[in-house]
Amino acid sequence: MYWNKEVECCSLDALRALQSYRLAQTVKRVYENVPLYRQRMDELGVKPEDIRSVDDLKKLPFTYKQDLRDTYPYGMFAVPMKEIVRLHASSGTTGKQIVVGYTRNDLDVWSDCCARALTAAGATKHDLMHVSYGYGLFTGGLGLHGGAEKLGMTVIPVSTGNTARQINILRDFGSTFICCTPSYALFLAETMKEMGIDKSEIKLKAGLFGAEPWTEEMRREIEDKLGLKALDIYGLTEIIGPGVAFECEEQNGMHINEDHFIVETIDPDTGEVLPEGSQGETVFSCITKEGFPLLRYRTRDIAVLSREKCSCGRTFIKMKKPAGRSDDMLIIRGVNVFPSQVESVLLQLGNTAPYYLLVVDRVNNTDTLEIKVEITPEMFSDTVKSLEDQSRAIKQAVESTLGISAKITLVEPKSLPRTEGKAVHVQDNRKLHD
């Protein structure tokens, strides 16, 4: 049942001892090999020997995404390039991309983390894994590929694109597991329906969906339309890629691989470490990575951590589904708004397609919010009155959830963009005016 029962089910004392040892070793290594860390620690008057246990973590400086851009491409590497066997990079939608390097051992650790995630989802060597994450510089495809191979699964490296072909492969090859973004999973379901293929014609038992925030309502939608168990998997390119944390079959929070990563929750404004159970920004420290070990990396993801006992037996701390990112969070007329809140409302109401776009603007110094919601083909033929009723229901539900008014615009089926990667849900026009 377990990929590594001895570690994943160990006592908190044993885990702390392991983390403390690995943290001290990592701090010493980055101080000696990464100029930025040496400079930051010297500025704070902190020496490697001051970090003896997890309790000393708060003495260390934070690492920010901007630091990785400022040291582009290889300035944060802790080993010579001859020891780096692979490079990956983030999408680089804003500013320079983040480049990360892996030693051979790093790739082994990464595969191990992803194999644990697959095991927790119920996968075995008898299963066929259909990988619909992108390959190339994006970490998703090769990360899950490595984990599936380590587990002994049969891997089908389909990558992204050509959705009709993907569906034919799912049906013809008999894939039992799939991994992709949750928005792409829904797009697969939508395309299957158009092709006249019923979910009973595919053999999928479970899917690992990540790379973007998604809601419980979206989970139910995916499970219903594809006839599988939908589990969350979490990771960041900067930390290792997918496999930092994963859901077990209980589907109640993601276990963090704490023997490789130490997690903290902080107040995003003050940087103060918050007690367990508080909602805050997650901060990760890598304690086994050789090529690119980050310490106290601020993820901007807003989440809650919990050590509540899990029926699966794993003792690793759980992270609830991130509410969103502090840098995705919109402040509209003084109110904090996450796109996932809107998604949750739409899926609860039903009747619309799960595609939406928040258009934020500023008119006469006042923020405006328009939510474009795609209607289903069935609704498209409805009467004007029923569409107006639907629009009114969405408006009331959104305003009740967000606490601010919004204009609801129902748009034609298929008129909002579909993506194979991360879905884009926000168009903030205020940035263009400021």
Side-chain angles (χ1 to χ4, degrees):
M1 179 182 175
Y2 296 96
W3 178 249
N4 188 341
K5 187 173 181 178
E6 187 184 340
V7 174
E8 291 182 74
C9 302
C10 72
S11 70
L12 187 56
D13 285 347
L15 177 65
R16 291 271 181 211
L18 178 65
Q19 286 183 326
S20 295
Y21 172 76
R22 288 179 168 177
L23 174 65
Q25 299 289 102
T26 302
V27 170
K28 183 173 186 293
R29 210 153 33 79
V30 298
Y31 184 83
E32 289 169 357
N33 296 297
V34 183
L36 181 90
Y37 279 127
R38 187 162 56 251
Q39 179 195 335
R40 291 266 172 89
M41 286 173 65
D42 286 347
E43 285 168 2
L44 292 172
V46 179
K47 294 290 179 217
E49 52 270 24
D50 297 331
I51 311 299
R52 297 192 187 93
S53 79
V54 176
D55 296 332
D56 297 320
L57 192 60
K58 58 182 178 290
K59 297 176 185 175
L60 292 169
F62 290 119
T63 311
Y64 300 86
K65 183 168 268 194
Q66 192 56 46
D67 295 330
L68 312 189
R69 293 195 179 112
D70 292 344
T71 54
Y72 173 90
Y74 308 135
M76 297 294 282
F77 287 15
V79 298
M81 284 304 289
K82 66 181 181 184
E83 292 180 36
I84 297 289
V85 297
R86 193 194 297 165
L87 296 175
H88 277 286
S90 67
S91 53
T93 46
T94 54
K96 281 200 165 114
Q97 21 180 36
I98 305 305
V99 180
V100 299
Y102 300 77
T103 64
R104 197 164 297 287
N105 186 62
D106 290 337
L107 291 180
D108 197 46
V109 165
W110 188 15
S111 294
D112 194 64
C113 288
C114 288
R116 289 179 186 180
L118 288 161
T119 301
T124 71
K125 65 182 178 182
H126 302 292
D127 285 298
L128 282 73
M129 167 57 102
H130 182 107
V131 182
S132 283
Y133 280 121
Y135 280 67
L137 288 175
F138 175 61
T139 52
L142 283 162
L144 267 302
H145 183 121
E149 280 192 349
K150 186 149 198 178
L151 195 53
M153 298 174 82
T154 303
V155 187
I156 311 165
V158 190
S159 194
T160 56
N162 201 333
T163 303
R165 175 172 166 262
Q166 298 247 6
I167 290 162
N168 287 330
I169 289 171
L170 284 170
R171 184 184 58 185
D172 298 347
F173 289 22
S175 316
T176 54
F177 274 71
I178 186 171
C179 55
C180 59
T181 62
S183 50
Y184 190 59
L186 283 177
F187 185 44
L188 281 168
E190 183 181 56
T191 309
M192 272 173 58
K193 189 177 177 186
E194 288 169 4
M195 292 169 69
I197 294 174
D198 188 75
K199 65 184 176 186
S200 62
E201 295 180 56
I202 59 173
K203 294 181 179 174
L204 289 176
K205 298 186 294 190
L208 278 75
F209 306 110
E212 62 189 15
W214 54 302
T215 57
E216 288 301 322
E217 290 77 19
M218 195 164 181
R219 187 205 301 272
R220 286 193 285 274
E221 188 107 348
I222 292 168
E223 290 187 333
D224 177 57
K225 290 186 172 176
L226 289 177
L228 49 67
K229 191 160 191 166
L231 298 107
D232 208 344
I233 185 166
Y234 173 86
L236 300 93
T237 301
E238 302 94 307
I239 301 303
I240 204 166
V244 173
F246 56 87
E247 276 187 324
C248 61
E249 291 182 274
E250 196 177 271
Q251 294 174 300
N252 181 29
M254 291 175 280
H255 294 280
I256 292 169
N257 279 311
E258 289 189 278
D259 53 330
H260 298 297
F261 315 105
I262 301 175
V263 63
E264 306 166 89
T265 320
I266 64 164
D267 180 315
D269 297 323
T270 65
E272 176 198 356
V273 178
L274 300 172
E276 180 197 309
S278 310
Q279 186 178 68
E281 180 185 341
T282 51
V283 173
F284 281 95
S285 296
C286 306
I287 51 172
T288 54
K289 291 240 333 249
E290 295 173 344
F292 190 78
L294 296 185
L295 296 172
R296 303 199 82 196
Y297 181 71
R298 295 189 57 161
T299 66
R300 302 293 178 195
D301 286 328
I302 304 295
V304 176
L305 302 176
S306 166
R307 279 206 187 272
E308 282 176 24
K309 200 170 189 310
C310 187
S311 63
C312 76
R314 292 175 181 82
T315 52
F316 285 164
I317 200 165
K318 277 184 174 180
M319 177 174 78
K320 301 258 172 75
K321 267 183 180 297
R325 293 173 59 82
S326 61
D327 50 2
D328 272 354
M329 185 179 78
L330 296 160
I331 301 178
I332 303 171
R333 299 197 290 278
V335 176
N336 295 348
V337 175
F338 288 108
S340 57
Q341 292 173 293
V342 175
E343 177 182 293
S344 192
V345 167
L346 294 176
L347 288 169
Q348 276 173 359
L349 286 172
N351 302 331
T352 62
Y355 301 101
Y356 63 96
L357 181 68
L358 278 63
V359 182
V360 190
D361 214 327
R362 186 164 288 146
V363 180
N364 298 327
N365 296 319
T366 302
D367 292 338
T368 62
L369 173 61
E370 177 187 10
I371 303 174
K372 295 185 176 182
V373 181
E374 196 175 290
I375 58 176
T376 60
E378 295 78 21
M379 283 177 67
F380 192 54
S381 56
D382 283 356
T383 63
V384 171
K385 183 181 182 309
S386 64
L387 290 175
E388 284 175 351
D389 290 345
Q390 183 66 33
S391 179
R392 200 174 301 114
I394 294 171
K395 184 176 173 67
Q396 286 171 352
V398 164
E399 290 175 5
S400 158
T401 301
L402 301 184
I404 58 169
S405 61
K407 176 188 175 187
I408 306 299
T409 305
L410 300 181
V411 299
E412 290 180 23
K414 295 275 187 150
S415 60
L416 292 178
R418 306 291 194 261
T419 60
E420 288 146 10
K422 300 184 185 188
V424 176
H425 290 305
V426 177
Q427 181 182 315
D428 193 344
N429 296 330
R430 295 174 300 182
K431 294 171 183 170
L432 305 177
H433 309 323
D434 291 348

